[in-house]
Amino acid sequence: MPDLPPTSTPPARRRVGVVLLQGFSLLAESCATEPLAVANQLTGEGLYSLVTLGLDAHPVRSGSRHLLMPDAVIGEPVSLDLLLLCAPWGESPPPALAAWLRHLALAGVALAGIGGGAELLARSGLLDGYRATVPWPRFEAVAGAHPGIRLSRQLFEIDRDRLTCGGGTAAMDMMMTLIASHHGSELAERVSAHFVLERVRMADEPQPASPLAGAPQSLVDAVALMEANIEEPLTTHELAEHLGLSRRQLERLFKKHLQAVPSRYYLNLRLRRARRLLRESERPAGEIAMLTGFSSAAHFSTAYRNHFGVTPREERLG
């Protein structure tokens, strides 16, 4: 789907289909569709029209046992600009669905895989040659089965006419980014404020659960402490004291599960926060340095360049 800048003429309505498969995540489906509905509400215009589709005319049961009645059945004549595919993990696409998806792709319809829907696109042969992501527990299986996909562990990916995300609330971040590309960042920010979101996460952020999956609670708590103390970073000794661990125990946890020492992991968290502030706000670099725990703008600039390969000033100009 092309990224069109806002214009003074009335925007064209984009027709969005939502395919639901049995066991789909109701949270992910809502996170993908509600931003579009709110964009319509806030502007008073029909920017997006939505139609729900099923494999047949029967209600579709979500993973949380809620029933949704589709408006139409796949394969029926329906004009679409974008199709959202919502499905549970590890499913294979029914042949009729895979054929229909390939038909839509040839017709120029943008295809979005939400959670398990991303793997359905992969299994239908529709992500080869594209940059894409899938839910982190399925990463290794999909990577091994589909070497033609440029797979990432990012929160979401938008590559030309393919959109993929790990599911859950990542679907909302992806759709906000899409709204911004269609109608400008101001509308996306208004939609974000409607949902009382602190910010819209960026595509290049990693799926947050993956590195800590199965990790001891003490490590999860350590990372949470780091994230809560970005402006005034704690020392490794202070972190260990808060958690009732020795410094050596904490360092072993980080090395075993995150392949990093605590100080390096903490620095990476702070620099990623700084990068978001540079991209999403107009705050001066010196102020961002203080907000992310750096003692001086010079120290911040050096650390930023060493990590990202560009200075804060170059990041903002880029």
Side-chain angles (χ1 to χ4, degrees):
M1 180 176 293
D3 295 343
L4 302 176
T7 67
S8 57
T9 57
R13 174 176 295 195
R14 286 181 167 84
R15 300 151 300 183
V16 181
V18 187
V19 172
L20 305 177
L21 270 66
Q22 297 288 347
F24 74 95
S25 164
L26 190 63
L27 171 65
E29 185 274 339
S30 297
C31 285
T33 58
E34 285 294 314
L36 305 180
V38 170
N40 289 344
Q41 176 186 330
L42 293 177
T43 60
E45 300 184 58
L47 303 179
Y48 301 95
S49 64
L50 287 99
V51 57
T52 304
L53 302 116
L55 299 181
D56 53 40
H58 296 102
V60 186
R61 192 181 298 275
S62 74
S64 56
R65 312 297 292 171
H66 288 77
L67 289 172
L68 269 68
M69 189 69 192
D71 303 308
V73 174
I74 65 164
E76 292 181 351
V78 58
S79 181
L80 297 173
D81 298 297
L82 168 66
L83 182 76
L84 309 177
L85 187 56
C86 300
W89 297 348
E91 294 285 312
S92 293
L97 175 61
W100 188 60
L101 291 173
R102 288 191 285 267
H103 169 76
L104 292 180
L106 289 173
V109 176
L111 303 176
I114 311 295
E119 187 170 353
L120 288 187
L121 290 178
R123 293 187 177 198
S124 300
L126 293 167
L127 291 181
D128 287 346
Y130 284 87
R131 195 174 62 250
T133 191
V134 294
W136 64 264
R138 298 295 303 163
F139 186 90
E140 298 300 336
V142 174
H146 304 281
I149 302 173
R150 301 200 300 276
L151 211 56
S152 84
R153 295 182 186 270
Q154 293 189 175
L155 203 60
F156 63 90
E157 291 279 5
I158 299 178
D159 185 4
R160 293 162 287 165
D161 54 357
R162 297 291 186 273
L163 301 83
T164 51
C165 73
T169 57
M172 182 171 285
D173 298 287
M174 183 174 76
M175 299 311 290
M176 290 297 198
T177 299
L178 195 65
I179 290 170
S181 75
H182 291 160
H183 303 291
S185 58
E186 182 180 349
L187 176 58
E189 289 166 5
R190 291 172 62 199
V191 174
S192 175
H194 176 92
F195 291 109
V196 201
L197 294 178
E198 179 185 357
R199 65 183 182 87
V200 177
R201 292 175 294 176
M202 303 178 73
D204 62 3
E205 296 184 42
Q207 295 187 33
S210 51
L212 298 178
Q217 187 60 44
S218 52
L219 180 60
V220 176
D221 291 343
V223 172
L225 272 173
M226 290 177 174
E227 292 174 338
N229 292 274
I230 295 292
E231 187 170 350
E232 296 183 9
L234 302 171
T235 65
T236 302
H237 179 72
E238 288 169 331
L239 282 167
E241 278 194 334
H242 277 294
L243 297 165
L245 302 173
S246 70
R247 175 173 180 149
R248 183 164 293 182
Q249 286 174 315
L250 185 62
E251 288 174 341
R252 280 201 298 264
L253 278 174
F254 271 81
K255 184 175 182 180
K256 179 179 179 180
H257 295 279
L258 297 173
Q259 294 76 52
V261 296
S263 58
R264 172 57 61 180
Y265 188 88
Y266 207 168
L267 177 62
N268 291 347
L269 280 180
R270 291 160 53 207
L271 288 168
R272 290 203 299 269
R273 176 74 61 84
R275 191 183 203 184
R276 291 197 296 270
L277 289 171
L278 284 166
R279 290 179 171 183
E280 300 172 10
S281 77
E282 299 300 322
R283 295 174 185 267
E287 183 180 345
I288 291 174
M290 290 192 301
L291 290 172
T292 50
F294 291 92
S295 57
S296 68
H299 180 206
F300 170 52
S301 182
T302 299
Y304 198 94
R305 185 180 65 249
N306 289 342
H307 189 74
F308 293 116
V310 294
T311 65
R313 182 175 180 275
E314 290 167 341
E315 178 75 70
R316 185 159 268 171
L317 289 175

